[in-house]
């Protein structure tokens, strides 16, 4: 069984915690006042994801819900250690969030030399927003990354399926890495 450490990063108040709770089937009180994540929350769950070979593969997932406040920046290297994937969440209705996406990409993706298949952009639409599912105007660094729109009110299962597909590509990368390591031992 593979074990994947996935970081969920992005600006404050974009919905990272709501998405992390949904994707991990964590039950907490929904609604209420906004309470920013302090540092990180780690959610663990098992998932079946479709690998590149078309087979379902079991995977233990550690979903790291990272705070969106830059005052925790000194903790980022510790959060990134041994991570296998990064989901950058932003609210496309907030121009400030769209501008910050490149910063998050640079800090968590580029600095680790991750492949595009290990990354996912998630444009999270909050309840009641007019969801524009077009590609937001993002910088050149992130324009090549896969993008999904999430709206947990309108189509939660599509969000889950897209995440499972993404998880499959991360597991595929882990599998290829494991095979290369095994081959280097043999030769």
């Amino acid at each position: 069984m593979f074990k994947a450490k996935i970081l969920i990063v992005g600006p404050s108040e974009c919905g990272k915690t709501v998405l992390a709770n949904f994707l991990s089937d964590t039950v907490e009180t929904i609604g209420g006042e906004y309470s920013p994540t302090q540092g990180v929350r780690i959610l663990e769950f098992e998932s079946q994801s479709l690998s590149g070979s078309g087979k379902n593969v079991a995977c233990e997932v550690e979903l790291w819900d990272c705070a969106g406040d830059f005052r925790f920046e000194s903790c980022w290297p510790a959060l990134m250690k041994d991570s296998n994937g990064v989901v950058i969440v932003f609210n496309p209705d907030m121009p400030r969030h769209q501008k910050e996406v490149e910063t998050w990409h640079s800090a968590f993706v580029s600095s680790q030399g991750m492949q595009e298949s290990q990354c996912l952009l998630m444009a999270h639409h909050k309840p009641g927003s007019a969801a524009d599912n077009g590609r937001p105007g993002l910088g050149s660094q992130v324009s090549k990354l896969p993008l999904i729109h999430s709206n947990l009110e309108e189509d939660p299962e599509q969000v889950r399926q897209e995440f499972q597909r993404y998880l499959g590509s991360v597991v595929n990368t882990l599998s290829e890495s494991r095979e290369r390591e095994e081959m280097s031992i043999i030769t």
Side-chain angles (χ1 to χ4, degrees):
M1 181 181 295
F2 287 97
K3 187 169 187 168
K5 175 181 174 181
I6 308 293
L7 306 178
I8 295 187
V9 301
S12 296
E13 296 188 65
C14 66
K16 296 182 299 292
T17 297
V18 170
L19 281 165
N21 287 344
F22 172 74
L23 294 170
S24 66
D25 288 326
T26 301
V27 179
E28 286 189 8
T29 55
I30 296 174
E33 282 186 37
Y34 170 71
S35 177
T37 300
Q38 301 298 308
V40 67
R41 294 171 57 241
I42 303 170
L43 306 166
E44 296 179 285
F45 60 99
E46 284 190 19
S47 178
Q48 292 288 326
S49 56
L50 199 61
S51 73
S53 61
K55 293 186 284 186
N56 271 339
V57 178
C59 180
E60 288 180 22
V61 180
E62 282 185 7
L63 203 56
W64 290 48
D65 174 16
C66 303
D69 191 325
F70 285 99
R71 69 187 168 109
F72 295 106
E73 193 171 357
S74 63
C75 301
W76 292 356
L79 301 178
M80 288 186 276
K81 184 174 178 6
D82 299 327
S83 64
N84 307 110
V86 175
V87 177
I88 302 173
V89 180
F90 67 100
N91 181 340
D93 301 324
M94 298 182 74
R96 174 182 64 83
H97 284 195
Q98 290 186 38
K99 290 176 185 163
E100 279 188 39
V101 168
E102 289 236 15
T103 303
W104 292 100
H105 179 270
S106 176
F108 284 88
V109 178
S110 298
S111 67
Q112 296 187 84
M114 284 198 173
Q115 301 171 21
E116 288 178 16
S117 62
Q118 293 173 277
C119 306
L120 179 66
L121 285 176
M122 197 174 279
H124 182 64
H125 300 274
K126 293 200 173 183
S129 72
D132 172 14
N133 288 339
R135 184 138 189 129
L138 300 171
S140 61
Q141 269 191 318
V142 295
S143 62
K144 294 176 247 147
L145 296 178
L147 169 76
I148 65 168
H149 288 268
S150 65
N151 188 328
L152 298 180
E153 270 190 336
E154 291 182 15
D155 201 351
E157 280 315 303
Q158 181 185 2
V159 175
R160 191 179 306 279
Q161 288 171 1
E162 293 285 352
F163 182 76
Q164 294 298 339
R165 197 167 305 142
Y166 160 71
L167 201 51
S169 68
V170 170
V171 167
N172 210 35
T173 302
L174 288 170
S175 175
E176 289 169 0
S177 176
R178 183 184 286 176
E179 286 174 19
R180 278 192 304 275
E181 191 176 307
E182 289 171 355
M183 290 306 289
S184 72
I185 292 170
I186 292 171
T187 55

